[in-house]
Amino acid sequence: MGLAILVAIANAGVHTTTGPDLVPGLRTAGLTAVALTLLGVAIALILRRPALSPALSPPVATSARQRRESDISA
């Protein structure tokens, strides 16, 4: 669908499908593709999950030796 939109932009206002008459439309379509790509990158960077700060990280076990299930007697 995106390619169809870019082709529609390139062909807007032109009655021919070949020749130098297409150059301004192709330039506009290329700039549109660049702008949409940069917009997508900006959105991806904004919506990126922040790293956990030390205050929000889960607590670490304080004992030097953790008990395994086999060490626990019934």
Side-chain angles (χ1 to χ4, degrees), residues 43-53:
I43 290 172
L45 290 174
I46 290 170
L47 296 179
R48 186 176 58 167
R49 290 184 182 203
L52 289 177
S53 66

Side-chain angles (χ1 to χ4, degrees), residues 16-65:
T16 183
T17 58
T18 60
D21 293 337
L22 286 179
V23 173
L26 291 172
R27 183 176 299 125
T28 303
L31 291 175
T32 302
V34 169
L36 291 175
T37 301
L38 292 176
L39 178 65
V41 169
I43 290 172
L45 290 174
I46 290 170
L47 296 179
R48 186 176 58 167
R49 290 184 182 203
L52 289 177
S53 66
L56 297 177
S57 62
V60 178
T62 56
S63 67
R65 181 174 176 258

